[in-house]
mmCIF file of all heavy atoms in Angstrom:
data_model
loop_
_atom_site.group_PDB
_atom_site.id
_atom_site.type_symbol
_atom_site.label_atom_id
_atom_site.label_comp_id
_atom_site.label_asym_id
_atom_site.label_seq_id
_atom_site.Cartn_x
_atom_site.Cartn_y
_atom_site.Cartn_z
ATOM 1 N N SER S 280 -173.734 48.493 222.561
ATOM 2 C CA SER S 280 -173.708 49.412 221.438
ATOM 3 C C SER S 280 -174.257 48.728 220.179
ATOM 4 O O SER S 280 -174.803 47.628 220.250
ATOM 5 C CB SER S 280 -172.271 49.892 221.231
ATOM 6 O OG SER S 280 -172.234 50.923 220.276
ATOM 7 N N ALA S 281 -174.100 49.361 219.030
ATOM 8 C CA ALA S 281 -174.681 48.811 217.806
ATOM 9 C C ALA S 281 -173.787 47.758 217.165
ATOM 10 O O ALA S 281 -174.257 46.896 216.430
ATOM 11 C CB ALA S 281 -174.952 49.938 216.816
ATOM 12 N N PHE S 282 -172.498 47.836 217.412
ATOM 13 C CA PHE S 282 -171.553 46.857 216.859
ATOM 14 C C PHE S 282 -170.281 46.931 217.684
ATOM 15 O O PHE S 282 -170.144 47.806 218.550
ATOM 16 C CB PHE S 282 -171.247 47.119 215.378
ATOM 17 C CG PHE S 282 -170.702 48.488 215.097
ATOM 18 C CD1 PHE S 282 -169.355 48.770 215.268
ATOM 19 C CD2 PHE S 282 -171.544 49.502 214.661
ATOM 20 C CE1 PHE S 282 -168.844 50.037 215.012
ATOM 21 C CE2 PHE S 282 -171.047 50.777 214.393
ATOM 22 C CZ PHE S 282 -169.700 51.038 214.579
ATOM 23 N N ARG S 283 -169.363 46.018 217.393
ATOM 24 C CA ARG S 283 -168.125 46.007 218.162
ATOM 25 C C ARG S 283 -166.963 45.926 217.184
ATOM 26 O O ARG S 283 -167.021 45.182 216.217
ATOM 27 C CB ARG S 283 -168.146 44.785 219.057
ATOM 28 C CG ARG S 283 -166.887 44.522 219.782
ATOM 29 C CD ARG S 283 -167.117 44.214 221.214
ATOM 30 N NE ARG S 283 -167.628 42.891 221.509
ATOM 31 C CZ ARG S 283 -167.931 42.521 222.762
ATOM 32 N NH1 ARG S 283 -167.797 43.366 223.755
ATOM 33 N NH2 ARG S 283 -168.368 41.332 222.996
ATOM 34 N N SER S 284 -165.879 46.681 217.432
ATOM 35 C CA SER S 284 -164.686 46.521 216.607
ATOM 36 C C SER S 284 -163.663 45.707 217.390
ATOM 37 O O SER S 284 -163.432 45.941 218.581
ATOM 38 C CB SER S 284 -164.128 47.871 216.138
ATOM 39 O OG SER S 284 -164.093 48.790 217.184
ATOM 40 N N VAL S 285 -163.100 44.727 216.701
ATOM 41 C CA VAL S 285 -162.206 43.760 217.340
ATOM 42 C C VAL S 285 -160.999 43.477 216.455
ATOM 43 O O VAL S 285 -161.061 43.647 215.236
ATOM 44 C CB VAL S 285 -162.931 42.422 217.620
ATOM 45 C CG1 VAL S 285 -163.993 42.580 218.677
ATOM 46 C CG2 VAL S 285 -163.536 41.843 216.358
ATOM 47 N N VAL S 286 -159.924 43.049 217.101
ATOM 48 C CA VAL S 286 -158.754 42.592 216.349
ATOM 49 C C VAL S 286 -158.194 41.367 217.089
ATOM 50 O O VAL S 286 -158.117 41.369 218.325
ATOM 51 C CB VAL S 286 -157.699 43.713 216.181
ATOM 52 C CG1 VAL S 286 -157.057 44.113 217.494
ATOM 53 C CG2 VAL S 286 -156.643 43.297 215.166
ATOM 54 N N PRO S 287 -157.842 40.310 216.347
ATOM 55 C CA PRO S 287 -157.269 39.139 217.010
ATOM 56 C C PRO S 287 -155.818 39.396 217.391
ATOM 57 O O PRO S 287 -155.072 40.024 216.636
ATOM 58 C CB PRO S 287 -157.362 38.037 215.947
ATOM 59 C CG PRO S 287 -157.412 38.759 214.637
ATOM 60 C CD PRO S 287 -158.023 40.106 214.903
ATOM 61 N N SER S 288 -155.423 38.916 218.567
ATOM 62 C CA SER S 288 -154.014 39.014 218.952
ATOM 63 C C SER S 288 -153.228 37.942 218.206
ATOM 64 O O SER S 288 -153.802 36.944 217.755
ATOM 65 C CB SER S 288 -153.863 38.796 220.456
ATOM 66 O OG SER S 288 -154.207 37.451 220.791
ATOM 67 N N ARG S 289 -151.913 38.144 218.081
ATOM 68 C CA ARG S 289 -151.070 37.041 217.607
ATOM 69 C C ARG S 289 -151.140 35.948 218.673
ATOM 70 O O ARG S 289 -151.089 36.246 219.875
ATOM 71 C CB ARG S 289 -149.633 37.514 217.406
ATOM 72 C CG ARG S 289 -148.754 36.490 216.692
ATOM 73 C CD ARG S 289 -147.373 37.054 216.397
ATOM 74 N NE ARG S 289 -146.606 37.320 217.623
ATOM 75 C CZ ARG S 289 -146.027 36.370 218.354
ATOM 76 N NH1 ARG S 289 -146.112 35.108 218.022
ATOM 77 N NH2 ARG S 289 -145.337 36.706 219.444
ATOM 78 N N GLN S 290 -151.282 34.715 218.228
ATOM 79 C CA GLN S 290 -151.489 33.604 219.168
ATOM 80 C C GLN S 290 -150.442 33.607 220.285
ATOM 81 O O GLN S 290 -149.243 33.657 220.014
ATOM 82 C CB GLN S 290 -151.441 32.280 218.411
ATOM 83 C CG GLN S 290 -151.909 31.109 219.251
ATOM 84 C CD GLN S 290 -152.089 29.854 218.413
ATOM 85 O OE1 GLN S 290 -151.548 29.750 217.318
ATOM 86 N NE2 GLN S 290 -152.837 28.906 218.936
ATOM 87 N N GLY S 291 -150.910 33.556 221.520
ATOM 88 C CA GLY S 291 -150.019 33.461 222.676
ATOM 89 C C GLY S 291 -149.361 34.768 223.084
ATOM 90 O O GLY S 291 -148.547 34.780 224.011
ATOM 91 N N SER S 292 -149.709 35.876 222.430
ATOM 92 C CA SER S 292 -148.985 37.127 222.710
ATOM 93 C C SER S 292 -149.637 37.976 223.802
ATOM 94 O O SER S 292 -149.034 38.929 224.295
ATOM 95 C CB SER S 292 -148.855 37.968 221.437
ATOM 96 O OG SER S 292 -150.113 38.499 221.053
ATOM 97 N N PHE S 293 -150.873 37.650 224.173
ATOM 98 C CA PHE S 293 -151.571 38.491 225.150
ATOM 99 C C PHE S 293 -151.010 38.282 226.557
ATOM 100 O O PHE S 293 -150.889 37.154 227.025
ATOM 101 C CB PHE S 293 -153.070 38.176 225.158
ATOM 102 C CG PHE S 293 -153.870 39.099 226.034
ATOM 103 C CD1 PHE S 293 -154.479 40.225 225.509
ATOM 104 C CD2 PHE S 293 -153.996 38.851 227.403
ATOM 105 C CE1 PHE S 293 -155.208 41.086 226.318
ATOM 106 C CE2 PHE S 293 -154.719 39.710 228.221
ATOM 107 C CZ PHE S 293 -155.329 40.825 227.677
ATOM 108 N N LYS S 294 -150.652 39.385 227.213
ATOM 109 C CA LYS S 294 -150.187 39.304 228.603
ATOM 110 C C LYS S 294 -150.929 40.318 229.451
ATOM 111 O O LYS S 294 -150.952 41.514 229.126
ATOM 112 C CB LYS S 294 -148.688 39.603 228.683
ATOM 113 C CG LYS S 294 -147.806 38.503 228.144
ATOM 114 C CD LYS S 294 -146.339 38.825 228.413
ATOM 115 C CE LYS S 294 -145.424 37.981 227.550
ATOM 116 N NZ LYS S 294 -145.427 38.394 226.115
ATOM 117 N N LEU S 295 -151.503 39.841 230.543
ATOM 118 C CA LEU S 295 -152.144 40.741 231.491
ATOM 119 C C LEU S 295 -151.041 41.379 232.336
ATOM 120 O O LEU S 295 -150.234 40.677 232.938
ATOM 121 C CB LEU S 295 -153.115 39.945 232.370
ATOM 122 C CG LEU S 295 -154.121 40.746 233.176
ATOM 123 C CD1 LEU S 295 -155.058 41.530 232.258
ATOM 124 C CD2 LEU S 295 -154.916 39.805 234.076
ATOM 125 N N ARG S 296 -150.969 42.702 232.336
ATOM 126 C CA ARG S 296 -149.930 43.400 233.103
ATOM 127 C C ARG S 296 -150.382 43.716 234.514
ATOM 128 O O ARG S 296 -149.584 43.773 235.433
ATOM 129 C CB ARG S 296 -149.607 44.729 232.414
ATOM 130 C CG ARG S 296 -148.523 44.674 231.393
ATOM 131 C CD ARG S 296 -148.254 46.116 231.028
ATOM 132 N NE ARG S 296 -147.370 46.280 229.909
ATOM 133 C CZ ARG S 296 -147.309 47.415 229.220
ATOM 134 N NH1 ARG S 296 -148.097 48.421 229.534
ATOM 135 N NH2 ARG S 296 -146.479 47.536 228.235
ATOM 136 N N SER S 297 -151.651 44.013 234.686
ATOM 137 C CA SER S 297 -152.146 44.277 236.038
ATOM 138 C C SER S 297 -153.630 44.008 236.118
ATOM 139 O O SER S 297 -154.335 43.994 235.103
ATOM 140 C CB SER S 297 -151.842 45.716 236.449
ATOM 141 O OG SER S 297 -152.739 46.598 235.819
ATOM 142 N N GLY S 298 -154.084 43.765 237.332
ATOM 143 C CA GLY S 298 -155.497 43.523 237.576
ATOM 144 C C GLY S 298 -155.871 42.069 237.449
ATOM 145 O O GLY S 298 -155.016 41.200 237.228
ATOM 146 N N GLU S 299 -157.138 41.805 237.613
ATOM 147 C CA GLU S 299 -157.661 40.453 237.490
ATOM 148 C C GLU S 299 -158.983 40.563 236.754
ATOM 149 O O GLU S 299 -159.840 41.373 237.129
ATOM 150 C CB GLU S 299 -157.861 39.859 238.884
ATOM 151 C CG GLU S 299 -157.885 38.351 238.881
ATOM 152 C CD GLU S 299 -157.945 37.788 240.303
ATOM 153 O OE1 GLU S 299 -157.343 38.412 241.213
ATOM 154 O OE2 GLU S 299 -158.604 36.771 240.486
ATOM 155 N N LEU S 300 -159.142 39.754 235.707
ATOM 156 C CA LEU S 300 -160.329 39.869 234.862
ATOM 157 C C LEU S 300 -161.516 39.115 235.441
ATOM 158 O O LEU S 300 -161.350 38.078 236.078
ATOM 159 C CB LEU S 300 -160.012 39.314 233.470
ATOM 160 C CG LEU S 300 -159.033 40.155 232.661
ATOM 161 C CD1 LEU S 300 -158.358 39.300 231.597
ATOM 162 C CD2 LEU S 300 -159.740 41.342 232.041
ATOM 163 N N LYS S 301 -162.677 39.634 235.209
ATOM 164 C CA LYS S 301 -163.922 38.926 235.483
ATOM 165 C C LYS S 301 -164.281 38.193 234.193
ATOM 166 O O LYS S 301 -164.157 38.744 233.105
ATOM 167 C CB LYS S 301 -164.996 39.953 235.857
ATOM 168 C CG LYS S 301 -166.383 39.406 235.971
ATOM 169 C CD LYS S 301 -166.655 38.898 237.361
ATOM 170 C CE LYS S 301 -168.091 38.359 237.435
ATOM 171 N NZ LYS S 301 -168.287 37.501 238.603
ATOM 172 N N ILE S 302 -164.705 36.938 234.321
ATOM 173 C CA ILE S 302 -164.980 36.143 233.121
ATOM 174 C C ILE S 302 -166.442 35.715 233.072
ATOM 175 O O ILE S 302 -167.001 35.269 234.080
ATOM 176 C CB ILE S 302 -164.059 34.903 233.083
ATOM 177 C CG1 ILE S 302 -162.629 35.362 232.802
ATOM 178 C CG2 ILE S 302 -164.509 33.907 232.021
ATOM 179 C CD1 ILE S 302 -161.587 34.319 233.051
ATOM 180 N N TYR S 303 -167.030 35.882 231.910
ATOM 181 C CA TYR S 303 -168.389 35.413 231.654
ATOM 182 C C TYR S 303 -168.323 34.426 230.507
ATOM 183 O O TYR S 303 -167.788 34.738 229.445
ATOM 184 C CB TYR S 303 -169.288 36.608 231.304
ATOM 185 C CG TYR S 303 -170.620 36.221 230.721
ATOM 186 C CD1 TYR S 303 -171.559 35.514 231.481
ATOM 187 C CD2 TYR S 303 -170.955 36.556 229.418
ATOM 188 C CE1 TYR S 303 -172.777 35.153 230.944
ATOM 189 C CE2 TYR S 303 -172.174 36.201 228.871
ATOM 190 C CZ TYR S 303 -173.083 35.500 229.634
ATOM 191 O OH TYR S 303 -174.290 35.139 229.091
ATOM 192 N N LEU S 304 -168.835 33.216 230.725
ATOM 193 C CA LEU S 304 -168.802 32.192 229.670
ATOM 194 C C LEU S 304 -170.059 32.305 228.833
ATOM 195 O O LEU S 304 -171.162 32.098 229.320
ATOM 196 C CB LEU S 304 -168.735 30.799 230.293
ATOM 197 C CG LEU S 304 -167.379 30.152 230.483
ATOM 198 C CD1 LEU S 304 -167.564 28.680 230.810
ATOM 199 C CD2 LEU S 304 -166.481 30.312 229.261
ATOM 200 N N LYS S 305 -169.862 32.613 227.573
ATOM 201 C CA LYS S 305 -170.994 32.746 226.662
ATOM 202 C C LYS S 305 -171.131 31.476 225.837
ATOM 203 O O LYS S 305 -170.148 30.981 225.293
ATOM 204 C CB LYS S 305 -170.741 33.942 225.734
ATOM 205 C CG LYS S 305 -171.850 34.220 224.756
ATOM 206 C CD LYS S 305 -171.404 35.158 223.652
ATOM 207 C CE LYS S 305 -171.034 34.362 222.409
ATOM 208 N NZ LYS S 305 -170.771 35.207 221.236
ATOM 209 N N THR S 306 -172.332 30.931 225.750
ATOM 210 C CA THR S 306 -172.567 29.773 224.888
ATOM 211 C C THR S 306 -173.264 30.246 223.626
ATOM 212 O O THR S 306 -174.337 30.847 223.683
ATOM 213 C CB THR S 306 -173.438 28.721 225.604
ATOM 214 O OG1 THR S 306 -172.830 28.412 226.859
ATOM 215 C CG2 THR S 306 -173.544 27.444 224.783
ATOM 216 N N ALA S 307 -172.642 29.991 222.480
ATOM 217 C CA ALA S 307 -173.200 30.430 221.202
ATOM 218 C C ALA S 307 -174.298 29.477 220.735
ATOM 219 O O ALA S 307 -174.463 28.385 221.281
ATOM 220 C CB ALA S 307 -172.097 30.493 220.153
ATOM 221 N N GLU S 308 -175.050 29.900 219.739
ATOM 222 C CA GLU S 308 -176.085 29.072 219.108
ATOM 223 C C GLU S 308 -175.542 27.700 218.747
ATOM 224 O O GLU S 308 -176.205 26.688 218.878
ATOM 225 C CB GLU S 308 -176.543 29.753 217.810
ATOM 226 C CG GLU S 308 -177.925 30.375 217.878
ATOM 227 C CD GLU S 308 -178.267 31.100 216.591
ATOM 228 O OE1 GLU S 308 -177.961 30.562 215.498
ATOM 229 O OE2 GLU S 308 -178.817 32.194 216.683
#
Side-chain angles (χ1 to χ4, degrees):
S280 188
F282 57 83
R283 172 134 76 183
S284 45
V285 292
V286 67
S288 67
R289 190 175 66 76
Q290 191 170 19
S292 70
F293 186 94
K294 287 186 197 73
L295 195 63
R296 270 188 189 161
S297 76
E299 202 174 326
L300 291 157
K301 171 88 180 163
I302 290 166
Y303 167 65
L304 266 193
K305 181 195 98 172
T306 307
E308 253 176 42

